[in-house]
Amino acid sequence: MKSLVYSILILSLATLFCSCTERVSNQEGDIAAPFENEDFKHFKEQLEESVSTQNDSILAVIYSQSIPFWIAEDMNLNQQGQSAVEHILNANHFGLNPNHYNASFFDSLPTPLTPDMAVSVEIELTRSFYQFVEHLRFGIIPSSYHQQITQLKTKEDSTNLLAIFLADDIVEAGLMMQPKHHYYQQLQAAVAKFYTENELTEETIYIPNFKKDSIEAYKKAKEVLVKLNYLNENDEGEKIVEGVKAFQKSNGLTADGLIGKYTVQMLELSTKKMYFQAAANLEKWRWIDSWGETYFFANIPEFMINLYVEDSLLIKNRTVVGTPFNSTPEVDSELDYFIVNPEWYVPYSITSNELIPKQKKDSTYLQRNGYVLTSGGSLDNVDWSNVSASSVKIKQKSGGYNALGKVKFIFSNPHSVYFHDTPSKSFFKKDIRTYSHGCVRVEGPFEIANFLLVNEENEEWPSTLDTLLKYKTTKTFTPQKKYPVHFGYFTSATDSSGKLRTLIDVYQKDTLLLDLFEKYYFADKFANKEI
């Protein structure tokens, strides 16, 4: 079967390349052929001969008309060739290793090239740039590992990358093969900027205890902030405090200028650690299937949920996610409905581990907090000293004390998680917000609900939640439009100015990703496909 598919691919490519070159030939046939440099003519003859001896059927199709892509008549790289080499030499800007694409060979080319050398450059640049594009599209870690690292849906991608050689601008066509995810595009730009502005070293500047010696802590913090371009060498006093605040804000921490536990953790990262963590996250994004133009995305370790509408960021809200023991899972789904003034049907685990023990200690606990039996029976008729969680089902009535707050958003998933309001607003002020049982608490859920009410354009729906909230009316809304929902786990992101943010791996999930990424990043050679 594979050989049949492969044969069809070759035939299709041959047809495409021939039809394309025939159009060029017919147009050129109307005018006299221009004078051709003898070296260039010799180079083309040698190219044809070299391709024919390569025993590579795809390469033979690409060069079926013996038309070079990268070499100009003056026997130097043409504009396309120069651009391809520039991107290979700067593969680090994409979180990739230039050595995988023979960068040292392209970095020291003589000018002009001899015909023999030009043939080598032409074929090697085709191979190297193709592999560069392949890694931009699919990543460098074999797909057999992907599901061990992420639960998000990964690509089933049949894109024919060889089609880039039919484009007017091959390099641009190759770059367009990168993921379209907003986070990927922003992170890639931040990685390029970070690599350009920083020397990658394993140096760690240790920050002393702020409470014991704040002067020395600020002194050491300044060294880091100068290195990361938050401060200048001559900045002193209040400017250092302002630099700490800017660093904290950029990294999603409370911008108070005090060098606390999490600020120290971020300041003590080496530039090499920051770069490779970001590069590994770019790798992970390359595996993820397209999400379209409108979707919800909650990045778990960033403690944020974003709503993108028609390719633009419309809403950005803080979140509280699961504890390390009740971690929020990665999820791909679609919004089914949302409920205003919801009741909460308490899961078995919470009934067993929390509610029954609290009721045993305080016989009024459930009643005081709005809990009732789903059967309608009386709480007083239950022998709480001997009851098991399997024999009693509890729900919490809607109201100000309800754990889900005033609105919850439901989408199908095997983990029974969702995102919702919460009465516990103080947690949104924390730097590390891992306090839930696995669901995602949202700081501004009414903003999301009001958007849905308006965007659905349903005349029977209210335009805001105001009346429903005022009269505490419980109501379910089922949108007709599609709103994909994605919970992902990515430990590098960007701040509002485009600076690289390195996030804390709150669930310690990155170990395998980072180990595999560095293994394949520093691998001597990839097993080349036939090209």
Side-chain angles (χ1 to χ4, degrees):
M1 183 65 181
K2 286 185 177 179
S3 61
L4 176 60
V5 172
Y6 184 75
S7 300
I8 292 171
L9 172 62
I10 296 296
L11 182 59
S12 300
L13 283 170
T15 303
L16 282 169
F17 275 92
C18 288
S19 62
C20 182
T21 50
E22 280 173 11
R23 287 196 297 272
V24 173
S25 300
N26 289 338
Q27 291 169 359
E28 290 177 348
D30 295 334
I31 58 175
F35 172 77
E36 192 168 69
N37 180 308
E38 280 298 319
D39 280 346
F40 187 68
K41 184 178 179 181
H42 187 203
F43 150 67
K44 291 203 324 184
E45 291 170 352
Q46 286 187 276
L47 175 63
E48 183 177 5
E49 181 181 347
S50 180
V51 168
S52 69
T53 61
Q54 294 283 327
N55 194 28
D56 187 329
S57 54
I58 295 180
L59 198 65
V61 170
I62 292 175
Y63 286 104
S64 60
Q65 300 299 313
S66 302
I67 297 176
F69 297 107
W70 316 110
I71 307 297
E73 278 205 41
D74 64 359
M75 299 302 289
N76 290 307
L77 289 172
N78 59 22
Q79 189 171 355
Q80 286 273 297
Q82 292 172 33
S83 180
V85 167
E86 181 183 359
H87 281 87
I88 284 172
L89 296 180
N90 291 305
N92 308 92
H93 293 186
F94 300 86
L96 298 172
N97 186 347
N99 293 332
H100 291 160
Y101 319 111
N102 217 349
S104 59
F105 173 72
F106 297 117
D107 195 30
S108 55
L109 295 177
T111 54
L113 300 167
T114 64
D116 287 347
M117 186 64 171
V119 170
S120 297
V121 170
E122 175 71 27
I123 292 176
E124 186 55 43
L125 189 49
T126 294
R127 286 190 166 122
S128 295
F129 189 72
Y130 177 85
Q131 184 158 65
F132 173 65
V133 172
E134 188 175 47
H135 291 166
L136 286 179
R137 180 76 178 183
F138 303 112
I140 60 176
I141 296 175
S143 59
S144 57
Y145 289 108
H146 294 180
Q147 290 303 318
Q148 297 178 45
I149 294 170
T150 182
Q151 286 71 56
L152 292 174
K153 183 180 178 183
T154 53
K155 292 175 181 173
E156 295 177 2
D157 200 332
S158 59
T159 302
N160 177 16
L161 301 183
L162 292 170
I164 66 173
F165 292 101
L166 294 172
D168 291 334
D169 189 329
I170 299 171
V171 175
E172 183 61 26
L175 296 177
M176 289 296 290
M177 292 295 175
Q178 294 180 89
K180 300 299 188 293
H181 299 288
H182 298 88
Y183 264 61
Y184 172 88
Q185 293 175 346
Q186 293 162 1
L187 183 58
Q188 188 275 309
V191 165
K193 190 171 188 290
F194 184 85
Y195 186 85
T196 302
E197 294 179 351
N198 294 277
E199 180 185 358
L200 300 190
T201 72
E202 294 182 346
E203 178 189 12
T204 297
I205 297 174
Y206 293 101
I207 312 297
N209 188 299
F210 182 74
K211 292 180 180 178
K212 292 182 178 179
D213 192 344
S214 61
I215 294 175
E216 187 64 18
Y218 278 126
K219 180 181 175 182
K220 291 297 182 181
K222 177 187 172 181
E223 290 183 38
V224 179
L225 297 176
V226 168
K227 190 168 65 170
L228 297 177
N229 301 301
Y230 284 91
L231 291 173
N232 296 316
E233 286 283 1
N234 56 354
D235 287 336
E236 297 293 343
E238 189 61 29
K239 284 191 175 181
I240 297 178
V241 178
E242 292 304 313
V244 171
K245 288 180 179 179
F247 177 81
Q248 290 170 325
K249 182 179 179 182
S250 177
N251 286 278
L253 304 174
T254 302
D256 55 12
L258 305 177
I259 305 176
K261 172 183 175 181
Y262 297 117
T263 301
V264 168
Q265 194 168 336
M266 292 289 98
L267 286 170
E268 289 185 345
L269 291 172
S270 70
T271 51
K272 184 177 179 181
K273 163 67 175 171
M274 294 170 72
Y275 173 80
F276 276 100
Q277 184 164 318
N281 275 263
L282 285 176
E283 166 76 12
K284 187 175 175 182
W285 274 115
R286 292 180 179 122
W287 312 338
I288 306 303
D289 208 2
S290 173
W291 292 345
E293 296 183 344
T294 298
Y295 57 88
F296 289 97
F297 173 51
N299 189 23
I300 296 164
E302 190 180 10
F303 312 113
M304 297 296 294
I305 188 168
N306 301 312
L307 171 59
Y308 290 93
V309 177
E310 295 180 357
D311 244 6
S312 297
L313 178 61
L314 185 67
I315 295 174
K316 190 177 185 75
N317 264 215
R318 289 185 173 201
T319 62
V320 172
V321 302
T323 67
F325 302 104
N326 296 289
S327 59
T328 298
E330 290 188 302
V331 169
D332 287 303
S333 189
E334 191 173 281
L335 184 67
D336 293 322
Y337 57 92
F338 62 101
I339 304 175
V340 183
N341 294 311
E343 294 179 317
W344 179 37
Y345 289 81
V346 184
Y348 171 88
S349 60
I350 297 177
T351 297
S352 177
N353 299 327
E354 298 182 30
L355 295 192
I356 291 178
K358 288 178 179 178
Q359 182 69 3
K360 286 180 179 179
K361 291 181 179 179
D362 176 1
S363 62
T364 67
Y365 175 81
L366 292 178
Q367 186 176 359
R368 283 190 296 103
N369 288 279
Y371 291 101
V372 297
L373 298 177
T374 60
S375 65
S378 172
L379 292 169
D380 294 333
N381 293 335
V382 177
D383 181 3
W384 294 104
S385 63
N386 293 313
V387 73
S388 67
S390 60
S391 64
V392 63
K393 291 182 171 54
I394 299 172
K395 71 177 180 179
Q396 190 178 36
K397 296 183 292 186
S398 62
Y401 40 63
N402 188 287
L404 306 182
K406 301 294 181 65
V407 60
K408 70 173 180 178
F409 303 84
I410 304 298
F411 45 91
S412 302
N413 66 88
H415 312 282
S416 299
V417 295
Y418 42 86
F419 60 96
H420 62 89
D421 184 24
T422 175
S424 306
K425 304 294 186 185
S426 61
F427 289 115
F428 292 112
K429 296 178 182 178
K430 304 284 188 181
D431 289 336
I432 302 301
R433 298 189 287 277
T434 53
Y435 296 97
S436 84
H437 291 91
C439 289
V440 173
R441 304 174 190 172
V442 179
E443 186 175 31
F446 301 158
E447 185 180 13
I448 294 172
N450 285 332
F451 159 77
L452 293 169
L453 290 174
V454 172
N455 196 60
E456 281 297 299
E457 301 175 304
N458 187 329
E459 294 181 358
E460 297 181 0
W461 287 15
S463 58
T464 72
L465 295 181
D466 294 350
T467 302
L468 294 172
L469 294 174
K470 180 178 179 181
Y471 293 103
K472 301 180 181 178
T473 305
T474 297
K475 187 171 178 61
T476 299
F477 295 92
T478 303
Q480 296 304 303
K481 297 179 181 179
K482 294 184 182 300
Y483 303 94
V485 176
H486 306 281
F487 289 0
Y489 195 92
F490 295 88
T491 55
S492 290
T494 59
D495 68 7
S496 57
S497 69
K499 267 184 175 290
L500 179 63
R501 281 187 64 190
T502 304
L503 308 175
I504 294 173
D505 182 10
V506 290
Y507 296 158
Q508 298 297 299
K509 290 183 65 170
D510 267 3
T511 303
L512 179 59
L513 170 64
L514 294 173
D515 287 349
L516 285 171
F517 182 76
E518 291 203 23
K519 172 185 174 181
Y520 285 97
Y521 183 96
F522 291 110
D524 290 336
K525 188 177 181 182
F526 278 88
N528 276 318
K529 293 182 179 180
E530 187 185 63
I531 181 175

